[in-house]
Every structure is written in C-alpha cells, then in structure tokens.
Amino acid sequence: MNDRRRSYEYVGPADLKAAVHPGSEGCRIHSGADFDSWVAERSVAELAEPFTFVVDTDGVLRLAPRRSEHVACAGGGRVLSAGEIGFRCEAGGWVVSEVSNHSTGYCPDTTSWPTVAQALDRVGLGRPSSFTYEVVFRRCPNCRESNLVREEDFICVFCGSELPEVWNVDEGGGS
C-alpha cells in the first residue's frame, strides 16, 4: 500500500483502547450538510479551540471534542490520519483554520495529508494546502519507544539511539 492510503493502527496505551465502547466514536461527517448540523450544535467556547479528528478507513472525517482520545473517535479501528483541527467562520462559510497530525495514539506520518485533504474537500470546507503543524513520529529500533522528532534531531529521547528517517511507528512493534 502506498503512503497515500496507508492505514494506521492504534499504538497508544492499551487501557485507552479497552475503554472504547460502541457509540463513543466521533461524528461522521460525509457532507457539507453533516458539517453544518454538527457545527450548529457546538458552543462558542468549543469552537474557540481545536477538535480531535480522524479520517477513518472509509475516508470519512470524524470529529470529537478536543480532549477526546483519537482511538475513541475512531471507534477503536485503524485510521488513514488523525490529529487536531480548528475551524473559523468566514464570509463564505466555514474553513479549516488549523490542522495537524498530532495524535500520539496513532502517530500518523506527515504523508497522511492527502487523505485529510480529500475528506475536507468532500465536505466542502476551505482548507490549507498542508498540515499547518506537522509532527514527525518515529519508533526507536532499540528500546521500541515512540518518539516525537523535534528540529530534525533523529535521536531517541529515551535511550539515545539513532531513529530512522522513514516512518516506522506501527511496523512490527505497535501495541
């Protein structure tokens, strides 16, 4: 499978996945009408901060409150991308003001952007041309811990080993 359609398994704490129950998944947004209904139910305070999102394996955007776990938003399943997303209302309607792949439960690669863009386009939301904030995740080949790579410093913060330059988080070591 190429990077554009790679799916990501949950690699976070097992107890968070075990707590997922039917009905806890994020709201599936198939269309502009779905988004309009969903956003109309949000408070001003909610809209002031980003939301948790996933793009499920059907390519559908799912949205949940910011402090929701990505694995709950996904209903415990695999995803094509995950992160945080914010919206603002402009004269022409709602647009995405910020979007990231920041999900330590799924650790999606930055190459997951095209699936996010497709899901947003399907809904008809204006969007940026890429993630507004990119997070680089790598799993240490020695200690097996997941790392956030900062400032292109591919060194494991847990054991000091070199991290691979290619995404590897759920390959042969995900939980």
Side-chain angles (χ1 to χ4, degrees):
M1 180 180 296
N2 69 31
D3 283 350
R4 263 186 65 143
R5 296 299 292 182
R6 169 189 282 152
S7 68
Y8 300 89
E9 70 177 292
Y10 179 71
V11 296
D15 61 325
L16 293 180
K17 186 172 183 178
V20 173
H21 55 82
S24 66
E25 56 275 333
C27 182
R28 290 175 57 101
I29 308 293
H30 294 274
S31 66
D34 289 346
F35 181 81
D36 290 344
S37 295
W38 176 84
V39 80
E41 296 176 5
R42 309 283 68 88
S43 70
V44 172
E46 283 180 291
L47 290 168
E49 61 183 22
F51 293 87
T52 294
F53 86 88
V54 300
V55 176
D56 66 23
T57 55
D58 293 329
V60 176
L61 178 68
R62 291 186 186 195
L63 298 170
R66 182 178 194 182
R67 288 161 188 80
S68 301
E69 294 295 333
H70 288 96
V71 68
C73 187
R78 295 179 73 91
V79 300
L80 300 179
S81 191
E84 294 186 345
I85 190 167
F87 305 98
R88 74 173 175 268
C89 190
E90 292 186 348
W94 288 95
V95 298
V96 174
S97 58
E98 60 184 302
V99 59
S100 75
N101 63 316
H102 193 188
S103 167
T104 56
Y106 283 101
C107 303
D109 195 22
T110 58
T111 59
S112 68
W113 169 253
T115 62
V116 177
Q118 289 169 359
L120 295 171
D121 290 348
R122 191 173 306 113
V123 174
L125 290 169
R127 61 169 175 80
S129 59
S130 62
F131 287 121
T132 56
Y133 177 71
E134 290 185 336
V135 180
V136 175
F137 296 100
R138 297 294 186 270
R139 182 176 297 281
C140 179
N142 292 327
C143 72
R144 307 302 299 155
E145 291 291 336
S146 293
N147 285 255
L148 276 79
V149 176
R150 299 184 195 280
E151 300 175 6
E152 297 185 35
D153 185 17
F154 287 82
I155 301 296
C156 178
V157 298
F158 300 98
C159 74
S161 298
E162 285 191 36
L163 298 171
E165 292 201 22
V166 176
W167 185 90
N168 69 332
V169 178
D170 72 10
E171 297 170 358
S175 52

